[in-house]
Amino acid sequence: MKGMMRVLTLLLLAGGLAAAPRTFQVRPGAAHTKVSFHSEATIESFDGSTRQVKGQVTVDPGNPGEGAAAWFEVDLTTLDTGLSLRNTHMRENHLHTDKHPVTRFEMKSLTGQVPPLKAGTTARLTASGDFALHGVTKPRTVPVDVTWHAEGSGTPARHKGEVLHLLCRFVVALADHQIPRPQFLFMKVAETMEVTVDLWAVAP
C-alpha cells in the first residue's frame, strides 16, 4: 500500500498537480547559482558576478499564482569584475558597499497568465515586487523563466528532492538608484547595467 501511495505521489508531482505550497531555499556560495552584470560603456565594457546570493521562494507548483512569495539578497561586497583595483573602486566609489552592502528583491505577486508548472518544462512568469539597491527602493516587474523539477538529482543543483530553476534578465538604470558613474581611466561605467540572475532553489 505504501508503495502504491508513493507511486501516486510521484505521478501527481510529475504532472504539476501537487496542491500544497512548498518553500525552496537559495543557498549562498552554491556553484550552480550566480548573479552577474554587464556594463557596455563607449570606451570600455566589463562584467562582474558573484555566487553569494541567498533567498527563499514559497510556491505551489500546481497553482503558482495563489499565495506565491519570494525574496532574494545579493552580497555586493563580493562582486568580482576580474580586476582587484576595479573591484575596489566599484565598491567604494560606485556602489558604496560600506553603507549598502546588499541588494534585495522582494516579490509581492505573480501577475498576468500564471499556468501550473509542469515538471521539467520552463514557464515564463512575471514577478512584481520591490527592488532595493544603493539605499533606494523601486517597484519592479520582471520576467522570470521558471523550471520546476520534482526530482533534482539530475540537475546542476544535484539535490535529491524538489528544485526550482529561476532565470531572470533585466536592466538597471543607475540614475534610478542614485548611483554615481565613475569615469576613471580604467573604469568607464555605462548608464545602465544588464543584470542576469541564475538561481537554483532547493526544497529542504
Side-chain angles (χ1 to χ4, degrees):
M1 184 67 178
K2 289 183 179 180
M4 184 177 295
M5 290 300 295
R6 179 176 176 79
V7 171
L8 179 58
T9 299
L10 290 173
L11 288 173
L12 290 173
L13 289 172
L17 300 176
R22 266 90 77 205
T23 297
F24 300 80
Q25 303 287 340
V26 176
R27 298 169 178 170
H32 46 271
T33 280
K34 183 167 72 172
V35 170
S36 57
F37 71 86
H38 176 73
S39 174
E40 186 71 32
T42 304
I43 298 177
E44 180 193 22
S45 299
F46 66 95
D47 301 281
S49 65
T50 180
R51 298 190 185 279
Q52 293 303 315
V53 188
K54 65 180 180 181
Q56 180 174 292
V57 183
T58 300
V59 67
D60 172 9
N63 186 17
E66 184 65 31
W71 64 267
F72 307 100
E73 281 188 356
V74 181
D75 182 356
L76 298 178
T77 68
T78 64
L79 282 174
D80 183 16
T81 66
L83 293 175
S84 59
L85 186 58
R86 183 166 57 196
N87 291 345
T88 298
H89 280 282
M90 180 181 66
R91 296 167 188 167
E92 294 181 357
N93 304 307
H94 181 50
L95 296 175
H96 302 122
T97 55
D98 57 331
K99 296 180 180 179
H100 314 293
V102 302
T103 180
R104 178 182 174 96
F105 177 72
E106 185 167 354
M107 189 188 81
K108 301 296 185 181
S109 64
L110 293 172
T111 59
Q113 295 293 323
V114 188
L117 301 179
K118 297 181 179 180
T121 300
T122 300
R124 170 63 62 91
L125 305 180
T126 303
S128 295
D130 293 328
F131 178 57
L133 174 63
H134 198 248
V136 178
T137 300
K138 295 279 188 179
R140 288 295 303 247
T141 298
V142 295
V144 185
D145 289 334
V146 180
T147 309
W148 170 60
H149 298 271
E151 171 52 48
S153 58
T155 71
R158 297 291 189 268
H159 178 71
K160 293 183 179 180
E162 291 183 74
V163 170
L164 281 179
H165 181 212
L166 310 172
L167 182 61
C168 177
R169 295 184 177 91
F170 59 97
V171 175
V172 175
L174 304 189
D176 286 348
H177 295 273
Q178 301 174 17
I179 298 175
R181 295 174 56 217
Q183 296 296 311
F184 303 113
L185 178 62
F186 49 83
M187 185 179 176
K188 304 295 184 181
V189 178
E191 295 180 359
T192 60
M193 294 283 187
E194 300 171 11
V195 178
T196 300
V197 179
D198 190 349
L199 307 178
W200 290 84
V202 301

